[in-house]
Amino acid sequence: PPPVGASWLKRTAFQLAEGPGNAAAYFDYVIILCIFANIGTMMSQSYDQTDEWTDILFLCEVGFTLIFLLEAAIKIYGLGFDNYTKVFLNQVDFFIVLASILDLSFSLALLAIDAGDNSDSGGLGRLFSLLRFVRIFRLTKLVRNFEAAERVQRLLLTLYQSFPAMKNVGGVLFI
């Protein structure tokens, strides 16, 4: 719990993050709806889509990234960074938010580069599309809300623990 004498904002952030009562449950429901909407927009991308649709999807992704960034900020402020990062799924959420911010930054940089010349920056764009793939892991937020998903949580923990080995395999494949 927040320290005695904490500000109203800190107490509210704590209640939204983990606190007693319905506030945390409602906050989680809103985030779950945002995850489903985000996955829906990600699934609506197609190969030969119009530029207008691409712009709409980009604006949606900016909005969802801001929502998830706000969620992480509320939880970090309410729980404190140390308590926030003690939970494995919070670490995953934080990594996904950071990867989304990097992806949006690189996307904006690529737009600025492409506006300057008409050449294809394909190699660089494909490299940064890996960051977009990380967004799929937003589905892991759904796992924490279902107690029956204990096996999936263990699977995610195993995947997380195998990342150092994947780095080595990726290095060999890169060669």
Side-chain angles (χ1 to χ4, degrees):
V4 176
S7 69
W8 172 84
L9 187 60
K10 179 103 173 161
R11 288 191 314 264
T12 303
F14 176 77
Q15 287 180 344
L16 286 175
E18 297 286 331
N22 293 332
Y26 291 138
F27 186 64
D28 283 342
Y29 293 146
V30 169
I31 295 300
I32 287 171
L33 286 174
C34 289
I35 292 168
F36 281 126
N38 184 225
I39 297 299
T41 59
M42 288 169 57
M43 290 187 325
S44 68
Q45 290 181 346
S46 63
Y47 171 69
D48 200 19
Q49 65 190 18
T50 64
D51 289 339
E52 292 83 17
W53 187 245
T54 302
D55 293 342
I56 289 169
L57 292 178
F58 181 75
L59 290 175
C60 287
E61 191 54 45
V62 169
F64 287 123
T65 299
L66 290 174
I67 288 170
F68 297 131
L69 177 64
L70 180 64
E71 177 207 12
I74 288 171
K75 288 185 175 185
I76 289 170
Y77 184 67
L79 299 173
F81 190 75
D82 290 339
N83 289 331
Y84 176 77
T85 56
K86 284 180 184 175
V87 178
F88 166 70
L89 289 175
N90 285 342
Q91 293 174 9
V92 172
D93 290 347
F94 191 67
F95 172 75
I96 293 167
V97 168
L98 290 179
S100 297
I101 292 170
L102 278 174
D103 175 45
L104 290 178
S105 301
F106 290 136
S107 295
L108 289 173
L110 286 175
L111 285 174
I113 290 171
D114 287 343
D117 66 79
N118 290 332
S119 66
D120 183 26
S121 60
L124 192 60
R126 284 188 292 274
L127 176 66
F128 295 129
S129 69
L130 179 63
L131 288 173
R132 261 182 223 118
F133 173 73
V134 171
R135 293 183 199 159
I136 295 296
F137 290 103
R138 284 186 181 152
L139 289 171
T140 61
K141 289 182 178 211
L142 300 176
V143 173
R144 88 170 55 190
N145 294 314
F146 300 111
E147 293 167 11
E150 184 180 337
R151 287 188 209 162
V152 177
Q153 288 178 358
R154 278 192 266 145
L155 180 66
L156 288 172
L157 182 60
T158 304
L159 180 67
Y160 174 73
Q161 291 171 340
S162 66
F163 272 140
M166 286 184 197
K167 190 171 49 173
N168 295 336
V169 171
V172 169
L173 290 175
F174 185 71
I175 294 173

